[in-house]
Structure formats: C-alpha cells, structure tokens
Amino acid sequence: MKRMTLSLVIHNHQPVGNFDFVFAQAAERAYDPMLAALERHPAVRPALHYTGPLLDWLSVHRPDHLERLRTLVERGQVELLTSAYYEPVLVALPDADKVGQIRKMSRFLRESFGCEPTGAWLAERVWEPHLPKPLAEAGVRYTLLDDTHFKMVGLTDDDLFGSYVTEEQGYTLQVFGSSMLLRYAIPWRPVEEVMGWLREQAEAHPGGVAVMGDDGEKFGLWPGTWEHCWGEEGWMDRFFSALEESGEWLATRPLGEVAAEMEPLGRIYLPCGSYEEMMRWALPPDDFAALGRVRRELEAQGRQDVLRFVRGGLWRSFMARYDEVNQMHKRALWVSRKVHRMPEGREKAQALDHLWAAQCNCGYWHGLFGGIYLFHIRVANYGHLIAAEEMADRAASPVPWARVERGDLDADGHEEVVLNTDQQVLVFKPSYGGALVEWDWRDRRYNLLNTMTRRREGYHEELVAAAREGRLVLPGQTEVPDGVRVKEPGIHTRLFHDWYRRAALLDHFLHPETTLEAFYQARYGEQGDFVEQPYVARVEGGEGAVVLELAREGGVWVGDRQVAVRVEKGIALEAGSSDLWVRYRLTNLGDGPASLRFGVEVNWGVVGGDSKYGELRVAEGESRRLSDLGEQSAVSTLVVASRLPDLAGEVALSLSRPAHLWHFPLEAVANSEAGYERVYQGTCTLLWWEVALELGRPWGVEFRFALNAAHAIDR
C-alpha cells in the first residue's frame, strides 16, 4: 500500500506586550517539552511556526531553546514556517505592511536558522480572496487553512487529502485544508483512536496527506494539559512512538516537502472565513447564541450535509462590534500612511518596526477569553502606535509644533479632527457628541482614554441562564451538572451595558433625581440630546497653538417642557506644552430660566487602576483607588495617576468652579479558564453642577489638565 503522509503544523505564539512570566511559563510547559519530544523521536518530522514576539523573547531569555531548534532544522527534522512577523491578522493590513512583515520574518529565519521558508502561517487562519497576491509577492508558495473554508464551497472531508491552487490577479498559491477532526482529537482522544482513524484514511486515500495545524500552547500550557501531554499520561510520547511504529503505511513529513512534491488536486477559490469558532464569535450577541443552538440541533440530527454550509460572521465584523477595535485599527492605518512617507533610513526602519508591532492581532478581536478585553495588550499596541507616529511626525516637522489634521480617520463617513503637538495627540469626533476619543501622551507613549464600553456578549446568556437555574459554581464548590464556574457570587448582577461609547468630554444633562448608582449602572434618564449627537466644529490655528471650537444647539427636558440650550466647548493646545485647556459655555435659548444638572464625563484608561498602582486623588492627602465607587462634593482639583514603574505619571485637573464628582470602575464581565469574572477596563469620572441658566446670562466653567511624568511626581 502506498503510504499516506501526516503533516503536523504547530503554531507557537505570545502577543506583543504579554507578561514575561507568561512567556517563561509557555516555554517551560509547552515549547521546551515539544522540542525534547522531537529530539527523542527523530522520525517525527513536523513544521513549526514561532511568531516574532516569541522569537524576540526567546532570543533574549532562552537562546538555548533557539539553539536546540536550529539543530532540529539543520538535520532536516523540522521545517519552519514564515508569517507576518508580529502576528497581525493579515487582511487588516495595507499590502505594503503585509509584504514587509512577511519579508522581515523570512529574513530572520534565513539569518538565524539558515533555512528558506516557503510556507506561511496565517494568524487566526483569517482568509480573504485577495491574499494570494501579497503572499506570493512576499515569496510564499503555500499556506494552510481550516477545513471549514473548503467545506463552505462544497468540498467534503474526503476531498482534503491534498492541496489546491488558488490565485489573485494571476499570483498563485497552494492551500491545504487542516482537519478539524484531528485538531480536536490531538491530544484529547486516545492515541489508539487517533491512529485507527489515520489507518482508515490511509486505506481510503493512499498517497494522500492529512494535515493538522493548531496552537502549540495546547500541548502543556492550557490548564490540565501538561500532565496529560508530558506527565504520567505522556500522551505526546505515546503518540509519537505510535507514528514511528507505523512507518510502513504512514510517514510524518513537513508540509513544505509535500507542497513541493505533490501536484494540487485542482483549482479552488475560497470565501472569506476563519476557523468555525472565530466566525461564531464575530456575530452579534443574539446571533452568537442562535447559531450555537442551530449547530447543536443539526449535530443532534446528524445533518453534517447541512452543517458544512452553516457559518458565522466575518473577522472584520469585530471592527463593527467594537468601536475600540475600529479606533485602534484605523489609527494604525493613519500612522502607516505617515510612516511610509518617511525618507528611507534607520529612523524609518525603527518606525516601521513599531508600527508592525502595533498590528499584533490579539487586541483586535474577542472570542470567549481575552482579546480586546486584555488591558495590557491594548496598552502595548497603542504604545507602539504612538512611538511610530511620533517618529514620523518628528521627521516631518521642526520641534516644537502644533497643528491640526482633519479627515475621516475611523472610516465612518464623518470627519474627525486631530490636534497634534510634539507633546500630545488628541482625536475628536464632532459627529459623536464632540467627544474626545483618543488622548495620546507622547512622553509616556500612552493613550489616556484606552477604555472599553460595557457591552453584551454572546456568552452572557449562558451566565444568566445558569444563575436562573441555580447552576453557578463558586471556587471550592462541588461541580454540578452543566455547572458554570464563577469567581464571585452574584456576578450575573454586574452585567451593566452602556448605551453610548465611553470616551471623554461627553456632555450630560441629568434628571435631578439621578443617583450615582443609577449612573454607574447606565440606568438613568438622560434629559438632553448631546451625548451622541453631532456638534459643529471650527478650528483656529495660530503661531505655536491650536484651538478647536465645538458647538451644538439641542434640547434639554426640564419637567414637562424642553428648553433649547447651546453647548460650546473650546479646546486649546500649545506647542511644547503638556497642558490642555477646555472651556465650556452654556447658553439658554429658550423662553424662560431653567434649572439644569450639567455634567462632563471623562473615562480614564489607566492600566492597573484596580491595583495599588492606580490612584484617584480628590483632595490633598485623600487617595482612592481608580476601581473605587464613590462621590465627593466641592471638588476643585482632581488627580488621576499611575504608579506602575514603566508608565508612572499623572493627570492633574483644576476647575474654575467647584463640582460634584462621581467616580466608578468600568468592568467587563468576561469568561476565563477559571470562570466568569469582572475585568477592570477603566474608570469613569463625572463632574457635575446644578446650573441655574438664566436668559441672556451664559454659564461657564474652565478645565486645565496638566500631564506630569514620573520624575515630577515621585512621592
């Protein structure tokens, strides 16, 4: 019988900005044991993929691991795949960045391991039909995708024991289908069962190739997997031994060898897609739940003939679901254009590297865990974006500078206004409440407004149902049938959902009976139409300063009558200054006096704000955590500070009129491997006043924000 080939592709990744201890633990529990197993089983010949952030960390902290890997490559046992260096979702990048990142990775592999990669790993296996062209231009000859992509165009499992050729504008690419069955079986099903399935396929598809590509972290890093894979159970060694003992009918070979020798089975054009779970996660919450029910029903009925055509949404839908994802993505496009206009040289190369690091995919989507809700990952992405833009701006402008940039930055059909100085970058959305949606502090390489709006997620339905049916399981409690683990009692009562985007300089008119608790829960009566409605923008630029004037004439309900009110806010920045001035002016346009409760909301994105490193100071000597819920009257000064060593700094606010302060944490209820938990995403501050607004007598207040770096605030 002609031997069948098994091609294993193992993908090892840690994102830009992840904690050192996670890198170290992953190396110790997953990456090291895999190399050791391959050293013990020389006939097992897989392809491995390491992402750039992981390679960078290993180069500094674990060069011995890379040396062992180099030995396996040199003896022909391991093939290394290329990719975009910092593991971005490739479809989200301009073509120049796609090609540039892949060439960077291929160059690293060539110089460090002496190999010429021909295959590429695609982050999250996200595919769109235009990809063959940039991949081919970067020197890639083949890639692998989930079998889901192929089944959506009518192929079955029996059609996937070989590659297909696809193209874009005549640029060709071989594509292999990775078996979902093998992805779920290795290393979870008994070794004998996996080998039995492979034997059946070898008899049915002699000379074919079965492909399995998946995350290396599941081989030891995921909870419970180290003991299963490498401990007493020793699943991986038993599996590798079984592969070696089956050499008469099965060969394990790197996928690149197969691609070079095996003729494609035919031509194919694949639709936009990713792995099955990702496409479900991309759906809105109700559809996420509905698709899960539909799939379970079809599986129970054995309708595999229908299931292969049932799919979820597109990866790009995350940019529609999360304003924060879209903001970061479109800022990356904005910065990319600036960086690519820089003159060639060392500074441009450094700026490109920061830009590419900012494109690392983990902060641009969300599944069941982590993703955009991982605060430290968002911080890292923004840090690199801010660094790249500063390099590009300094190359184009003498220091200091203050200028205005205008354009549809976030691609929503409306113009944004960017106030850009050598110290700060502020992004305003006149179309959405005249809100400040990004505030970059260049000295700290930090976006001060890096928060998350509280949203419904598809998996919240599971939590609510389990609470209703008494199936919640706390730490230390005995498991119950269909139990749902939670890390604290009553967490289902913390599902607060915001009706507007959490940003800064949001203008509220509150009902006089609104309480802090009601505002915290987003269950209150908004009396005005200013929070998310358009403002008119006017920009003034002078020598060394920029001023943005925003104004809206709207209505505010006072009892049973609506009063016409004009809100004006002026924002001023100076070149070389770390201060920001904001001036508010309210004018009564109605036919009589009005008593109003007016508030200005700012949402602060200070990572670690729920720890001892985050501080909210409302009076000298009176310090609170940023995760506290509270209020204070007669506030004239307010300090928001971080004591984290790498980000230490503070924003000091002074007011021309004392205000009442409400403050509370913004927390997402997210799933994790240990159960549902609250995850800190920022702090909301609302400064409000009781305003007696007379006809012909405007009311005003002025804010002065001062950014102070660590050296100025050591205490």
Side-chain angles (χ1 to χ4, degrees), residues 290-303:
L291 179 60
R293 289 192 295 270
V294 167
R295 293 196 66 88
R296 287 192 296 272
E297 290 170 5
L298 290 172
E299 286 167 359
Q301 297 167 13
R303 295 304 307 273

Side-chain angles (χ1 to χ4, degrees), residues 612-626:
K612 64 181 181 180
Y613 297 107
E615 181 183 13
L616 183 72
R617 200 161 63 248
V618 295
E620 190 60 37
E622 184 180 347
S623 178
R624 310 175 187 187
R625 285 195 177 184
L626 287 167

Side-chain angles (χ1 to χ4, degrees), residues 114-137:
C115 60
E116 190 65 48
T118 59
W121 179 269
L122 298 185
E124 304 304 327
R125 284 97 77 193
V126 176
W127 173 264
E128 290 185 4
H130 73 273
L131 285 180
K133 183 175 183 289
L135 286 169
E137 289 175 332

Side-chain angles (χ1 to χ4, degrees), residues 297-333:
E297 290 170 5
L298 290 172
E299 286 167 359
Q301 297 167 13
R303 295 304 307 273
Q304 298 300 322
D305 58 325
V306 177
L307 265 172
R308 63 196 180 106
F309 297 114
V310 176
R311 53 165 290 172
L314 302 180
W315 181 87
R316 289 179 188 256
S317 297
F318 290 111
M319 292 184 278
R321 285 192 57 204
Y322 300 97
D323 293 316
E324 298 85 354
V325 169
N326 188 64
Q327 176 73 21
M328 193 158 59
H329 174 254
K330 300 309 184 293
R331 278 289 280 152
L333 296 180

Side-chain angles (χ1 to χ4, degrees), residues 194-412:
V194 176
M195 296 306 298
W197 182 86
L198 288 171
R199 184 65 185 248
E200 290 176 4
Q201 305 314 310
E203 293 173 354
H205 306 282
V209 57
V211 180
M212 193 289 293
D214 207 359
D215 299 342
E217 293 75 30
K218 78 176 185 179
F219 301 107
L221 182 62
W222 293 2
T225 57
W226 188 90
E227 183 63 30
H228 175 68
C229 291
W230 312 112
E232 288 188 11
E233 295 182 45
W235 197 98
M236 291 303 295
D237 271 304
R238 290 190 290 113
F239 179 54
F240 283 177
S241 294
L243 293 177
E244 290 178 313
E245 293 165 4
S246 304
E248 289 187 3
W249 57 271
L250 181 68
T252 59
R253 301 172 63 201
L255 197 53
E257 284 188 10
V258 178
E261 296 176 7
M262 183 181 291
E263 285 292 319
L265 298 177
R267 185 187 307 279
I268 199 166
Y269 292 91
L270 298 170
C272 299
S274 179
Y275 50 89
E276 179 184 299
E277 301 93 328
M278 174 70 83
M279 292 189 289
R280 184 182 171 204
W281 297 333
L283 292 172
D286 290 339
D287 297 318
F288 169 94
L291 179 60
R293 289 192 295 270
V294 167
R295 293 196 66 88
R296 287 192 296 272
E297 290 170 5
L298 290 172
E299 286 167 359
Q301 297 167 13
R303 295 304 307 273
Q304 298 300 322
D305 58 325
V306 177
L307 265 172
R308 63 196 180 106
F309 297 114
V310 176
R311 53 165 290 172
L314 302 180
W315 181 87
R316 289 179 188 256
S317 297
F318 290 111
M319 292 184 278
R321 285 192 57 204
Y322 300 97
D323 293 316
E324 298 85 354
V325 169
N326 188 64
Q327 176 73 21
M328 193 158 59
H329 174 254
K330 300 309 184 293
R331 278 289 280 152
L333 296 180
W334 183 275
V335 173
S336 178
R337 290 190 287 270
K338 286 187 175 185
V339 170
H340 282 285
R341 288 196 296 265
M342 293 175 69
E344 296 299 326
R346 184 174 60 88
E347 287 192 357
K348 181 176 182 178
Q350 291 175 344
L352 278 171
D353 209 50
H354 278 298
L355 168 67
W356 292 344
Q359 295 167 342
C360 183
N361 80 83
C362 300
Y364 290 89
W365 60 278
H366 175 62
L368 294 180
F369 312 118
I372 187 64
Y373 287 113
L374 292 176
F375 208 146
H376 64 290
I377 298 299
R378 300 199 310 268
V379 167
N381 283 18
Y382 267 114
H384 285 290
L385 266 184
I386 293 166
E389 184 174 38
E390 182 176 17
M391 290 178 178
D393 285 344
R394 287 186 183 276
S397 303
V399 178
W401 72 81
R403 62 171 177 263
V404 176
E405 300 168 341
R406 307 180 76 157
D408 185 6
L409 185 150
D410 60 5
D412 68 345

Side-chain angles (χ1 to χ4, degrees), residues 140-215:
V140 175
R141 298 177 190 171
Y142 79 88
T143 190
L144 66 154
L145 301 168
D146 285 69
D147 56 12
T148 308
H149 299 73
F150 297 82
K151 292 178 180 179
M152 286 191 291
V153 294
L155 273 62
T156 67
D157 288 321
D158 287 333
D159 299 318
L160 296 179
F161 288 84
S163 72
Y164 290 82
V165 64
T166 190
E167 60 84 28
E168 167 67 6
Q169 299 180 43
Y171 290 83
T172 59
L173 181 75
Q174 275 183 270
V175 287
F176 289 86
S178 172
S179 166
M180 178 182 283
L181 186 149
L182 283 177
R183 182 159 65 88
Y184 275 70
I186 300 173
W188 314 118
R189 305 301 302 167
V191 169
E192 298 75 17
E193 182 179 320
V194 176
M195 296 306 298
W197 182 86
L198 288 171
R199 184 65 185 248
E200 290 176 4
Q201 305 314 310
E203 293 173 354
H205 306 282
V209 57
V211 180
M212 193 289 293
D214 207 359
D215 299 342

